[in-house]
Amino acid sequence: MFHYDYLGKRFAMEVHVRQDYRDLHYRVLDNWGLKKRFVIRDEFCTMGPLTEEMRPPCISDELEFVQFSVAGGGPERLELESWHLKSSDSYVRDTVSVPGCYPFGYRRTFNGTYRPWVPDYVVHMGTFNRLEEGIRDQDVFEIPEQCKIVAQVDMPLEVKMIESLFLKE
């Protein structure tokens, strides 16, 4: 599960991955106001620099409109717009709600030249469920007291792909 706050420039994600035959559970907190990334696992916290900029809400200027679509039906249906950007080494497609511009779906296709952490060819896509407007619990962005150690953290591919939705290229 993840939460984002464009106005406060904050991002929080609960991460559950299986790596090297172990289940890992941790939280990632990005705070662009502090320019810091916090990774919290059990009672341990690692803090590192947040060097990327948070992209502005909605669709960046370089994406081109693709289509209108609808998710669901009846009065609860969600009207959507899809936008994309093609280049020689990547394909980006974002789908957002109309109105509101809330992220609904994404697709990222890369070959190995786009970013150093991406293997030769990767397709990562998904849709977001249980979209809610507003922040019900501000505590998800709170930085715990144990976050005092400074170190660089190498994020798993799954985290980097979802975070890329919120980073300026």
Side-chain angles (χ1 to χ4, degrees):
M1 178 178 303
F2 73 92
H3 309 268
Y4 62 92
D5 174 8
Y6 276 121
L7 298 177
K9 294 193 172 191
R10 303 176 295 175
F11 173 86
M13 182 169 23
E14 296 285 333
V15 181
H16 303 275
V17 295
R18 185 153 181 86
Q19 183 177 338
D20 299 327
Y21 305 103
R22 297 180 318 179
D23 291 323
L24 299 177
H25 308 282
Y26 53 93
R27 290 176 52 213
V28 177
L29 301 175
D30 287 350
N31 186 311
W32 279 272
L34 298 174
K35 295 284 191 189
K36 299 286 182 196
R37 171 173 290 142
F38 303 89
V39 179
I40 302 104
R41 183 170 177 216
D42 301 323
E43 70 275 6
F44 301 102
C45 177
T46 306
M47 179 178 64
L50 185 59
T51 57
E52 303 93 348
E53 291 292 323
M54 186 175 197
R55 79 175 202 186
C58 207
I59 300 298
S60 60
D61 292 338
E62 65 266 9
L63 271 66
E64 298 175 11
F65 178 76
V66 178
Q67 69 182 28
F68 287 107
S69 59
V70 175
E76 298 297 316
R77 78 174 188 260
L78 186 61
E79 295 180 5
L80 304 167
E81 290 182 349
S82 291
W83 299 74
H84 75 180
L85 174 66
K86 294 181 188 178
S87 71
S88 61
D89 57 0
S90 67
Y91 175 79
V92 172
R93 182 174 177 139
D94 289 340
T95 302
V96 296
S97 67
V98 179
C101 212
Y102 304 114
F104 178 78
Y106 62 95
R107 178 177 175 180
R108 302 288 188 268
T109 305
F110 304 102
N111 67 30
T113 62
Y114 186 67
R115 292 194 182 183
W117 46 263
V118 177
D120 288 337
Y121 187 76
V122 172
V123 176
H124 194 263
M125 66 182 81
T127 57
F128 302 114
N129 299 307
R130 294 183 50 211
L131 296 174
E132 297 177 3
E133 187 173 3
I135 300 169
R136 292 183 183 206
D137 183 5
Q138 293 283 339
D139 291 344
V140 299
F141 300 109
E142 289 299 317
I143 300 163
E145 289 298 317
Q146 73 262 36
C147 291
K148 306 293 182 203
I149 303 168
V150 178
Q152 184 64 34
V153 178
D154 189 30
M155 293 280 103
L157 181 61
E158 294 85 1
V159 174
K160 291 178 181 181
M161 289 292 190
I162 292 177
E163 270 188 333
S164 72
L165 297 170
F166 301 94
L167 303 176
K168 276 187 182 178
E169 297 297 328

